[in-house]
Amino acid sequence: MLSYCLLIFSCFNVVDLVQGDASYSHTIPYGEEECLLIRVPRDQPHIISGSFDCLDTRISTDPIRVALYNSKEERVYSSDYGDAEGSFSSKGMGKHWLCLENGLTYEQREDRDSRTDPRKRVTRTIGFTLRVKKSATSKASEVLGDAGSNDVEGTTQLLLDLTEDLNENFQVLTDHMSYMKAREVMHRELHEQTFTKVVRW
């Protein structure tokens, strides 16, 4: 399941609020999977969330798959093959793994009709964002303390959950805007190189 750990993204429960937020882009050769180890404090549930986007616009995204595994190495999120973008969110504690695959198991699928087109066997760049933060439940219990028992029909908890969902959706939107900016930089560099060659010619 896990080929190897690429990075270690650690959160240590030193202060009251544990939060991690990081954005990366990584180039993965065809036929490989690379996994990141995410360390989440074990004492309280945290939300592990993020999004991904294939930054290569001119090649097929068919062999790409992104998966999130929990501390029991059970898959809690998996994109479908060919998804160029997506987002994930899971509540958990302990170690988690985020795995980025570029064709490792693509050719072993049962629904495959023929051999993989050689044009799909290329290196791809995947941009992804990863966030680790305390869940609304643990924040509410810290803030409200004994007053949490006065929560009328779970109204406070419901409002906290809705606020958390809305905030997560805004963060995913921000992620996709940053991916678009990264694509623009790549295209600008390509145009500059092309114009330079035309001028020299």
Side-chain angles (χ1 to χ4, degrees), residues 28 54-64 82 84 102 119-125:
I28 304 170
C54 183
L55 300 180
D56 302 310
T57 55
R58 295 186 180 244
I59 56 177
S60 170
T61 59
D62 286 352
I64 292 177
N102 181 13
R119 290 176 289 185
K120 292 183 181 179
R121 296 171 171 255
V122 295
T123 299
R124 290 173 175 81
T125 302

Side-chain angles (χ1 to χ4, degrees), residues 37-40 42 69-73 93-97:
L37 172 63
I38 308 163
R39 291 186 182 265
V40 179
R42 295 181 184 186
Y69 296 89
N70 64 14
S71 57
K72 297 175 184 172
E73 295 189 10
M93 299 182 286
K95 293 179 182 177
H96 285 67
W97 291 267

Side-chain angles (χ1 to χ4, degrees), residues 6-25:
L6 171 70
L7 294 173
I8 298 179
F9 184 82
S10 300
C11 294
F12 299 103
N13 199 2
V14 178
V15 291
D16 288 1
L17 181 63
V18 174
Q19 190 165 353
D21 192 349
S23 295
Y24 303 97
S25 66

Side-chain angles (χ1 to χ4, degrees), residues 92-158:
M93 299 182 286
K95 293 179 182 177
H96 285 67
W97 291 267
L98 178 66
C99 296
L100 310 170
E101 178 189 332
N102 181 13
L104 181 67
T105 59
Y106 179 68
E107 296 182 17
Q108 294 143 9
R109 295 177 305 144
E110 294 173 5
D111 61 342
R112 215 170 54 84
D113 294 337
S114 60
R115 294 186 52 89
T116 303
D117 184 354
R119 290 176 289 185
K120 292 183 181 179
R121 296 171 171 255
V122 295
T123 299
R124 290 173 175 81
T125 302
I126 302 174
F128 61 97
T129 301
L130 188 60
R131 287 180 286 279
V132 177
K133 61 184 178 182
K134 280 189 177 179
S135 68
T137 308
S138 57
K139 286 181 189 176
S141 62
E142 286 178 9
V143 173
L144 297 175
D146 293 335
S149 59
N150 296 335
D151 188 8
V152 179
E153 296 179 5
T155 306
T156 305
Q157 186 59 46
L158 178 64

Side-chain angles (χ1 to χ4, degrees), residues 31-97:
E32 291 188 16
E33 176 184 50
E34 299 192 2
C35 297
L36 287 84
L37 172 63
I38 308 163
R39 291 186 182 265
V40 179
R42 295 181 184 186
D43 58 343
Q44 292 179 340
H46 283 66
I47 302 293
I48 300 102
S49 62
S51 62
F52 68 93
D53 199 335
C54 183
L55 300 180
D56 302 310
T57 55
R58 295 186 180 244
I59 56 177
S60 170
T61 59
D62 286 352
I64 292 177
R65 187 174 68 169
V66 175
L68 179 68
Y69 296 89
N70 64 14
S71 57
K72 297 175 184 172
E73 295 189 10
E74 298 168 343
R75 192 177 347 174
V76 292
Y77 168 80
S78 178
S79 66
D80 292 329
Y81 281 110
D83 285 350
E85 59 186 39
S87 60
F88 55 88
S89 181
S90 177
K91 186 185 287 189
M93 299 182 286
K95 293 179 182 177
H96 285 67
W97 291 267

